[in-house]
Amino acid sequence: MLAAARCVVYRDLLLALRRRGDVAVALLFFVIVASLFPLGIGAEPNLLRSIAPGVIWVAALLSSMLSLGRLFAADYDDGTLEQMLLGAAPLGVVAAAKAFAHWLVAGLPLVAIAPLIALQYDLGAGLWGILALSLLVGTPVLSLLGAVGAALTLGLRGGGVLLSLLVLPLYVPVLIMGAGAVEMAAAGLGGGGQLLVLGAMLVLAAAFAPWAIAAALRISLE
Amino acid sequence: MLEAADLRCERGGRVLFERLSFRLGAGEFLRVSGANGSGKTSLLRVLCGLLTPSRGSVRWKGEPVAALREEYARQLVYLGHAPAVKGDLTAEENLSIACTLAGVAASRDAVKSALARFALPDDVPVRRLSQGQRRRAALARLALSGGVPLWLLDEPFAALDAEGIERLGALLSGHAEKGGAIVFTTHQDPGFAATRTLELA
């Protein structure tokens, strides 16, 4: 079972490595969207500082969603997804591994690059840590919830747009808690509470989303 | 080993087949033939459990396959219409990943010799191979699946050259001799005798 999970993660990372462009696009999208706001709004430090957590989180959300469409679609087209359904390991385990690989490729780089973006918003160095931490805990939730939506919209015409409509509302609690943690910390109240709620969301999503993904995949492949 | 009872399959409001029953024992070949759109692929998907029949059931050694799931999946190889290989990976990577996911132990050497048997280069991304070679890359899995009793093959002979057909035929006969069961669909005459044929109309 673990061998299968390891194999799926290894496979998806190998595929991402062979298609570096796709990974770079999502990351660049994040950087560009987050950079557009200071350019559009103007260099008013107090305003920028106050919108920074929300804007960075929204950009992370959109960037993470950008690569969701390909999460199962490519495997669906070439038939490898069928083989995963007929694999020796429970489908939930494979689904969790796919979501984890998606996070490694589309979530983790955002965590690493976020402090750099925060620089543009004149966010104090003391807040970089909590921004990165909130993204570290929050982005896996995005990958897990997003994978449920990707599995549900698999093989549908216009699935990409439907996917955003389906998934973005589910991202709202993560956005509120993630941006809230940084805002609280900026106000000197400490963002621990929000981070704990984010952590609870991650635990819940990690426990239940894989089985929802598995069920959705079975329906989509009928 | 495999038993289909009173199967009925509907796709898009059209009945593809109904009241379809058969039994398949060890060492038997079942060749499914029929016109395009007669439900050959759907039948195979029902047999491997990807598709739920609107009526009837498929049983493996007496147990309904819907309840067995991974237990059943470990006992079968299904090669569908799509070759199920990743274009960005080499044939060797594809094969060893497919085997790991299927729970079939395959050493590096075993993978290499299976690819050699199908005359495939092992270090070129599958994307650069021809249609027939891609097909071979998928079929190479059979060479490592001797221990898996049930083979369900959808058009295994499509896009293969004469030599490939011969190799595959030998592989299939060998599997049946060792007590495996095989269901395959084909339009062409495979060039060897199937124990049984099922004509879908």
Side-chain angles (χ1 to χ4, degrees), chain A residues 103-196:
Chain A
W103 176 72
L104 284 181
V105 170
L108 199 55
L110 303 185
V111 178
I113 210 166
L116 214 62
I117 302 291
L119 210 60
Q120 294 189 62
Y121 288 86
D122 193 28
L123 213 58
L127 295 175
W128 293 358
I130 191 143
L131 176 67
L133 197 61
S134 71
L135 284 169
L136 187 68
V137 184
T139 42
V141 186
L142 302 182
S143 290
L144 284 162
L145 292 180
V148 179
L152 278 174
T153 54
L154 197 59
L156 295 184
R157 246 178 303 144
V161 183
L162 191 61
L163 175 62
S164 354
L165 292 182
L166 200 68
V167 160
L168 282 178
L170 294 176
Y171 282 179
V172 169
V174 184
L175 170 69
I176 293 174
M177 287 303 152
V182 186
E183 272 157 23
M184 282 295 176
L189 297 168
Q194 276 82 357
L195 280 183
L196 285 178

Side-chain angles (χ1 to χ4, degrees), chain B residues 31-179:
Chain B
R31 175 183 168 196
V32 183
S33 56
N36 290 337
S38 58
K40 299 189 294 293
T41 296
S42 296
L43 175 62
L44 279 198
R45 288 173 62 90
V46 165
L47 290 182
C48 70
L50 280 175
L51 195 65
T52 318
S54 42
R55 203 168 61 213
S57 65
V58 179
R59 289 167 179 276
W60 173 254
K61 294 183 175 159
E63 302 272 339
V65 301
L68 290 173
R69 280 226 171 137
E70 293 95 46
E71 196 75 28
Y72 177 55
R74 261 183 289 246
Q75 317 263 341
L76 72 86
V77 182
Y78 167 71
L79 294 183
H81 221 68
V85 288
K86 279 281 174 204
D88 288 319
L89 302 181
T90 65
E92 186 187 344
E93 287 162 344
N94 267 307
L95 186 54
S96 69
I97 287 170
C99 285
T100 311
L101 289 181
V104 173
S107 66
R108 224 185 132 86
D109 291 335
V111 168
K112 276 193 186 291
S113 74
L115 291 174
R117 207 164 151 182
F118 277 89
L120 280 165
D122 52 11
D123 52 354
V124 180
V126 171
R127 181 161 34 89
R128 293 213 212 111
L129 299 180
S130 76
Q131 190 78 22
Q133 281 177 311
R134 243 175 272 177
R135 193 77 214 172
R136 283 162 180 250
L139 290 169
R141 213 181 120 195
L142 294 178
L144 295 171
S145 305
V148 184
L150 179 64
W151 291 3
L152 302 169
L153 313 172
D154 196 358
E155 298 285 354
F157 298 101
L160 285 185
D161 55 15
E163 184 224 351
I165 291 179
E166 198 178 309
R167 255 169 234 256
L168 180 60
L171 205 57
L172 295 188
S173 322
H175 186 60
E177 270 163 32
K178 277 188 285 174

Side-chain angles (χ1 to χ4, degrees), chain A residues 46-98:
Chain A
N46 282 326
L47 180 63
L48 285 183
R49 241 174 269 143
S50 67
I51 62 165
V55 169
I56 294 174
W57 255 96
V58 169
L61 219 93
L62 294 175
S63 154
S64 161
M65 204 188 62
L66 201 64
S67 47
L68 275 181
R70 284 192 317 271
L71 182 56
F72 297 114
D75 293 346
Y76 176 71
D77 291 338
D78 57 27
T80 42
L81 194 60
E82 271 179 352
Q83 295 298 332
M84 288 186 192
L85 259 75
L86 294 173
L91 188 55
V93 174
V94 174
K98 293 257 337 162

